[in-house]
Amino acid sequence: MNCNEAGNLLSAYLDGDLGRSETKDLQAHLGECLGCAKELEGLGQAKSLLQGEPSFAMPPNLRRSLIQEARQRLAFRPSGILPRFISRPALAVARTRKLAIAFSFAGVVLVFGLWLYKDRSGQEAVPLDLFLAEHTRSVSRVTLARRTVAAASPYYSLQAVINP
Amino acid sequence: MKIFRPSIVLGWLILLPCVLKAGEIESKNLFLLATKAPSVSYKGTRTIITWFGSESQAVEAKVYFKPPNLWRQEILNPQGEVSRVVIQKKEAEWIWEEESKTLIKRPALSSDGFSSNDSLLNWTLANYDALAKGHDEIMGRSAAIVELAPQHRGSPSRTVWVDPATGIVLKIKQTNPDGSLVTEVHFTEIDVESELTESLFEPPKTSQDQIIIDEPRPVVRGPGDLPDGFRQVPWIEGFPSGFHLAKATLMPLGEEEKALHFQYNDGLSVLSFFVSPRPIQAGPRSHQVVLTQYEDPGFVTSTSAGSVLEWKQEGHYFLLVGDLSQTALQEIMEFIRSRS
């Protein structure tokens, strides 16, 4: 496999879309070619960034027009005979009730999620990554360095390990 | 001319085991050479590639070694700047983190990972077949290829390219039990017998508040030393798949709480067995803790956390972490259950 062929396969490799034989050929080439290995690393970093939080600011005009469009679509527009019997204060009450129902539903979902997150015995679960870091701690300096610097506390910041 | 004379056949039958034995001794000697610190000084650049799906990565590092035990490695970022420096000098080791300007001090890992520990070498030879796989040329230097093939199903395998003249490991490849590549380390340039000044192996001068001392974990010396709450946990010296208990320590989970950490080794691969008083939350794993980078000068024990298996037993939460296949981990789990 040459560099051109490898370059065409890098993106599919990162997405896990390559077959076993193509993967082996590509890995063999990357093992020999530092340029392609670095290209893979750069591509991987770019993909990770794109998967993270986008930091592009929306142009003000586009934002205004989107808000206007949303307001029009979401506006409560009773039709037929009903509007004649519903006053404006009644509409406000109806909206408040809808909001209350929506918040209650969200609350129930949140409580259920927290219940699932915890073990049924009521004990707080320990993240798996803490054990994996401990596993590699004795030999791997990468884990050790990140962990030690993250916090002096033995129960260190998990975030620092996941997103160093 | 008669080729199949009885005397010739008999001669071959006598010679063949000798030839095979000689090959076995040669591959074993090459393996032992790869585990020892090189006999000459060198400096060079190595590429370290680790494979973990979309999070695969390649890192370049500058390496300096002076026998018997002075070693320095500078990890470079993609811009080619030094991001971390690891220095080993006799019994101590320093890790300098450039970004946070922090210096970590700890007892040195042996310069080649484990050769100072004879039992680990014996475990490797008992659990893996050292096979000579011919010769290769790397950066203009002759390299003998030795493959360590596992005797137990579900274990990883490793191939090393060692320079017979100096003992320098020029290349390492490690594969998963399914044959896929996990790690590759190789030199892209090397200068042997280069003059290296002692100052290269001095830790950077820093203020006291930049230094962090890495304290070792408290050791549990035997079943009688198990803390309250863990007295019922089985104390297992080894598993049928060739793993031996190397160390038992206490891992902190908070201010007071602790988990038990049994570390097993088969000579090439590290297996962790954790016992936690609290449940273990599964979820996406960070590749930084799954993969370990080969930031050592030679042949090191692998601590890749490629596979995990967890279960609940008698009020405790058990976890196995290692480089083995899921089937191999399940066999170990059954063994632990049978001993409880």
Side-chain angles (χ1 to χ4, degrees):
Chain A
M1 182 177 286
N2 60 34
C3 291
N4 278 341
E5 291 166 335
N8 290 334
L9 296 176
L10 289 180
S11 184
Y13 173 74
L14 288 172
D15 294 335
D17 291 339
L18 288 187
R20 193 179 168 85
S21 121
E22 276 180 320
T23 302
K24 278 200 164 183
D25 290 347
L26 180 62
Q27 288 183 344
H29 176 78
L30 292 169
E32 305 294 331
C33 176
L34 181 62
C36 285
K38 282 195 164 178
E39 194 178 330
L40 175 72
E41 191 187 357
L43 197 58
Q45 285 172 349
K47 285 202 177 213
S48 299
L49 281 174
L50 288 173
Q51 283 163 1
E53 291 176 19
S55 57
F56 305 106
M58 189 184 287
N61 289 342
L62 177 61
R63 187 169 180 272
R64 270 196 296 275
S65 61
L66 277 176
I67 290 173
Q68 199 175 3
E69 176 74 14
R71 275 182 181 154
Q72 282 170 2
R73 288 190 181 201
L74 292 172
F76 180 63
R77 280 186 252 165
S79 58
I81 198 167
L82 195 60
R84 295 178 205 167
F85 301 100
I86 301 177
S87 62
R88 282 195 172 274
L91 270 176
V93 170
R95 282 181 189 148
T96 312
R97 278 187 183 162
K98 278 189 172 178
L99 275 173
I101 291 167
F103 276 114
S104 307
F105 182 71
V108 169
V109 168
L110 186 67
V111 169
F112 183 67
L114 286 172
W115 178 77
L116 277 181
Y117 187 78
K118 284 195 165 200
D119 184 70
R120 295 184 188 189
S121 63
Q123 294 170 295
E124 192 189 341
V126 186
L128 176 65
D129 262 358
L130 285 189
F131 293 98
L132 299 187
E134 189 73 8
H135 169 74
T136 57
R137 180 182 185 274
S138 60
V139 173
S140 168
R141 297 184 177 91
V142 182
T143 309
L144 169 83
R146 291 217 166 93
R147 175 179 182 148
T148 316
V149 171
S153 152
Y155 202 70
Y156 66 101
S157 159
L158 177 67
Q159 196 62 25
V161 173
I162 293 177
N163 298 311
Chain B
M1 191 176 73
K2 254 185 154 184
I3 296 172
F4 296 106
R5 276 186 190 162
S7 57
I8 293 175
V9 173
L10 189 66
W12 270 113
L13 284 176
I14 293 167
L15 273 176
L16 192 62
C18 299
V19 171
L20 290 175
K21 190 71 188 167
E24 195 182 308
I25 290 169
E26 188 209 350
S27 39
K28 187 182 164 184
N29 287 341
L30 285 171
F31 159 69
L32 292 173
L33 183 67
T35 64
K36 287 192 167 57
S39 57
V40 294
S41 62
Y42 66 85
K43 65 177 179 182
T45 308
R46 297 200 307 183
T47 301
I48 304 158
I49 307 169
T50 44
W51 308 101
F52 191 57
S54 61
E55 293 182 279
S56 301
Q57 58 183 3
V59 175
E60 256 194 322
K62 301 262 182 205
V63 188
Y64 306 85
F65 178 79
K66 191 170 185 176
N69 52 12
L70 297 178
W71 175 64
R72 176 189 177 99
Q73 177 150 278
E74 299 165 350
I75 304 292
L76 309 180
N77 64 18
Q79 289 75 44
E81 299 152 345
V82 176
S83 63
R84 180 185 306 118
V85 180
V86 180
I87 294 171
Q88 269 190 18
K89 191 174 181 184
K90 296 175 184 171
E91 304 298 318
E93 178 178 296
W94 292 269
I95 304 163
W96 171 253
E97 286 288 315
E98 182 62 35
E99 196 182 343
S100 61
K101 305 284 180 204
T102 311
L103 186 67
I104 301 162
K105 188 181 176 188
R106 58 181 278 172
L109 301 173
S110 62
S111 63
D112 46 29
F114 67 88
S115 72
S116 58
N117 192 332
D118 287 343
S119 58
L120 278 173
L121 275 180
N122 291 334
W123 295 343
T124 315
L125 291 170
N127 291 316
Y128 293 84
D129 292 320
L131 309 167
K133 292 282 181 178
H135 288 77
D136 202 351
E137 195 179 285
I138 295 176
M139 304 311 300
R141 300 195 71 81
S142 168
I145 307 169
V146 194
E147 184 190 341
L148 289 167
Q151 292 178 1
H152 300 282
R153 192 165 42 90
S155 294
S157 67
R158 185 180 300 180
T159 309
V160 291
W161 282 251
V162 58
D163 178 355
T166 60
I168 300 173
V169 175
L170 296 166
K171 184 173 170 179
I172 302 172
K173 265 188 177 182
Q174 174 139 341
T175 55
N176 264 335
D178 68 1
S180 58
L181 193 61
V182 181
T183 314
E184 183 177 329
V185 185
H186 63 263
F187 276 98
T188 51
E189 56 184 18
I190 188 163
D191 179 12
V192 176
E193 293 186 42
S194 50
E195 288 290 324
L196 301 176
T197 59
E198 294 280 330
S199 60
L200 261 176
F201 307 99
E202 292 295 336
K205 290 188 169 40
T206 54
S207 62
Q208 203 58 34
D209 62 344
Q210 286 176 296
I211 300 176
I212 296 174
I213 308 290
D214 178 43
E215 297 291 346
R217 297 276 188 250
V219 176
V220 183
R221 301 192 185 284
D225 201 17
L226 284 170
D228 289 341
F230 292 107
R231 300 239 185 254
Q232 303 303 317
V233 172
W235 185 275
I236 300 170
E237 291 288 346
F239 297 117
S241 47
F243 279 90
H244 301 263
L245 180 62
K247 204 195 287 182
T249 55
L250 293 173
M251 166 193 173
L253 290 182
E255 290 295 318
E256 298 291 328
E257 213 170 15
K258 295 199 166 26
L260 266 178
H261 179 196
F262 294 97
Q263 204 176 68
Y264 293 86
N265 203 307
D266 73 347
L268 188 66
S269 183
V270 175
L271 173 78
S272 281
F273 169 37
F274 292 99
V275 183
S276 166
R278 281 199 274 142
I280 295 154
Q281 178 206 330
R285 283 181 277 163
S286 136
H287 78 292
Q288 297 293 355
V289 293
V290 171
L291 294 170
T292 58
Q293 292 183 2
Y294 283 59
E295 294 189 9
D296 294 86
F299 195 96
V300 290
T301 308
S302 160
T303 56
S304 167
S307 303
V308 296
L309 184 65
E310 53 188 289
W311 73 99
K312 189 178 176 183
Q313 191 177 315
E314 294 165 1
H316 286 107
Y317 298 85
F318 289 20
L319 175 71
L320 285 170
V321 182
D323 234 357
L324 309 177
S325 67
Q326 279 294 324
T327 312
L329 284 186
Q330 275 166 3
E331 285 169 4
I332 291 172
M333 178 184 76
E334 292 307 326
F335 186 82
I336 294 170
R337 280 182 161 161
S338 71
R339 298 287 296 272
S340 298

